Amino acid sequence: MRFNNIAGLVSVALLILWNPHTHAFKFSERHYKSTVLGNSITFHVDIPGVSDSGVPWNLAFSRAAEQWSMLTPVQVNTVKSVADPCRYDSISGVGFTNNCWVEHLATAATFRSDGMIAGADLTFDSNSDWDVFTGNSRLKVIEHPGGRVEYRLIYDFERVSLHEIGHALGLGHTNFPESIMSAAPDRGDHNEKLTADDICGVTIAHGNPGGCPLLLKNPATVSGKNTTAHFVGGVSRDRGLTYDTVFQRVDKLDVMATVVVEERHYHKPGRLHAVVELSDGALLMKTDTGFSAWDGTIEALRTTAVQPLIVANEIYVLKNFDLRANQVQKIGVSVYVGYSLVEEPGEIYYSGTPIKFRVQ
Ligand SMILES: [Zn+2]
């Protein structure tokens, strides 16, 4: 690693595949203000040659950059120029290498200015097998002398590029295996496109929460004062690949929410809240151990234990919830999520609009 003599560069984040986390979209924890300087990042990429499938490496990377540009407020540019990704300077280089800080498959090392991401070097392990393809992962079969057969996974360079660019834009790993920002090592078995989960983190961090497909509008407080907190949530039957509002009894549901606290509340001790209103009038609150009935009063509201609030806090309201096995009948469900601070008793910052869905 070469980190010497780097004036003006504040910090390095090594964001490595296979680093397990348990969150829906999540900003990088080490750098809680993970915005990109000027909402723009330019990668210098000139990787010679084409993949086995005939797609030039440069084209695959440009397509990945374009997806982020099209779907988020950050402009991800590429210029055709060689820049050594192992050289820690202010130029964002991209390349295959085994010369620097690649540990598992691929790495994004961000560099910063005034606390914002000014660029990132993306390294892809030159000792791994790469191609560009859609659909399921592929295996390479190697027959060794003596009859031993070895199976090696071939990685889709475009999908891993999407993932590493996401780190360069300040995202950590997500809990949903279908999302590009999942930490799953097998990049070939899931989606090739950015999901709502991937998009929301970047759009909120970069000042355009309305671009987040899962934003819950009209955030509110118990006291009635305005809040800059954001609340995101949705209901999925396919592990976060798509979100819906109408479900059948055969479905298994994930109800996820992310609470993005006000900037002045970062790292303060507080609690997360989720309450459920059913169409038959019942009110439930989610505690650390499950759900219990709630009388609707602030005094009776129980929640998670006190914890330091991070920028984006995940609440898994339901996880792989089997409607039929739990004997759920036709019903409408509204889920409100929020947070409170130990230092402000009685005040709650919450999603004025619920996550709504119904079971038919
Ligand atoms: Zn990663």
Side-chain angles (χ1 to χ4, degrees):
M1 293 209 261
R2 281 170 279 162
F3 298 138
N4 48 331
N5 300 325
I6 313 158
L9 301 177
V10 181
S11 59
V12 183
L14 294 179
L15 296 156
I16 299 158
L17 279 167
W18 299 359
N19 182 20
H21 287 287
T22 53
H23 288 268
F25 87 74
K26 196 180 70 148
F27 305 106
S28 163
E29 248 173 335
R30 273 181 241 196
H31 306 285
Y32 53 80
K33 187 159 184 172
S34 294
T35 47
V36 172
L37 192 65
N39 281 8
S40 160
I41 193 166
T42 299
F43 289 104
H44 293 248
V45 51
D46 190 6
I47 305 173
V50 299
S51 66
D52 285 351
S53 65
V55 178
W57 302 115
N58 287 343
L59 176 62
F61 187 85
S62 298
R63 291 196 304 221
E66 204 174 283
Q67 272 201 57
W68 283 108
S69 286
M70 300 262 291
L71 297 169
T72 74
V74 183
Q75 189 63 38
V76 184
N77 304 309
T78 54
V79 291
K80 196 174 181 220
S81 111
V82 179
D84 182 359
C86 292
R87 199 183 144 86
Y88 199 65
D89 52 19
S90 59
I91 296 169
S92 302
V94 180
F96 293 113
T97 183
N98 58 8
N99 286 333
C100 50
W101 51 77
V102 165
E103 294 194 17
H104 291 292
L105 195 62
T107 304
T110 59
F111 39 89
R112 295 183 173 245
S113 173
D114 295 331
M116 292 184 170
I117 296 171
D121 286 317
L122 308 186
T123 48
F124 297 81
D125 180 14
S126 56
N127 292 327
S128 295
D129 293 304
W130 297 94
D131 198 350
V132 177
F133 56 91
T134 56
N136 289 346
S137 55
R138 296 181 182 177
L139 285 174
K140 181 173 170 179
V141 183
I142 303 162
E143 288 181 35
H144 292 280
R148 189 172 69 85
V149 178
E150 185 190 351
Y151 297 94
R152 293 186 57 161
L153 211 50
I154 302 172
Y155 295 97
D156 176 20
F157 177 70
E158 192 164 331
R159 270 175 275 193
V160 179
S161 295
L162 267 177
H163 179 96
E164 295 306 324
I165 293 170
H167 284 318
L169 302 186
L171 293 179
H173 287 147
T174 161
N175 199 34
F176 281 115
E178 307 296 338
S179 291
I180 289 294
M181 291 317 293
S182 92
D186 182 353
R187 313 303 313 166
D189 270 346
H190 58 86
N191 191 31
E192 292 116 35
K193 303 281 184 218
L194 296 178
T195 63
D197 184 56
D198 298 309
I199 294 162
C200 284
V202 176
T203 59
I204 288 177
H206 294 86
N208 182 20
C212 165
L214 300 174
L215 186 76
L216 301 168
K217 295 202 168 64
N218 305 316
T221 58
V222 166
S223 68
K225 72 182 178 193
N226 289 335
T227 178
T228 54
H230 297 295
F231 303 92
V232 173
V235 189
S236 178
R237 67 165 67 76
D238 53 15
R239 308 192 299 173
L241 182 58
T242 62
Y243 291 82
D244 208 343
T245 55
V246 181
F247 296 90
Q248 311 298 325
R249 293 189 68 224
V250 293
D251 289 327
K252 290 180 184 170
L253 305 188
D254 283 302
V255 180
M256 59 70 79
T258 304
V259 171
V260 184
V261 304
E262 289 191 16
E263 197 172 330
R264 64 200 173 97
H265 297 157
Y266 294 171
H267 303 311
K268 291 194 169 173
R271 300 172 192 272
L272 301 172
H273 307 263
V275 297
V276 178
E277 186 178 10
L278 302 176
S279 54
D280 63 9
L283 281 175
L284 305 168
M285 56 187 172
K286 185 167 168 57
T287 67
D288 277 333
T289 51
F291 287 93
S292 42
W294 181 43
D295 65 7
T297 64
I298 300 294
E299 298 72 42
L301 184 60
R302 288 200 303 282
T303 58
T304 61
V306 171
Q307 56 189 282
L309 299 172
I310 57 171
V311 178
N313 305 268
E314 187 227 30
I315 302 177
Y316 232 124
V317 183
L318 290 176
K319 192 167 192 175
N320 200 27
F321 184 78
D322 189 325
L323 291 168
R324 194 160 46 191
N326 285 280
Q327 301 179 344
V328 176
Q329 306 296 332
K330 265 190 187 180
I331 200 154
V333 183
S334 296
V335 181
Y336 293 84
V337 293
Y339 71 98
S340 58
L341 300 168
V342 170
E343 67 182 36
E344 276 187 84
E347 180 67 298
I348 297 178
Y349 302 79
Y350 67 99
S351 62
T353 308
I355 303 164
K356 280 184 99 151
F357 65 99
R358 68 174 197 272
V359 179
Q360 288 189 329

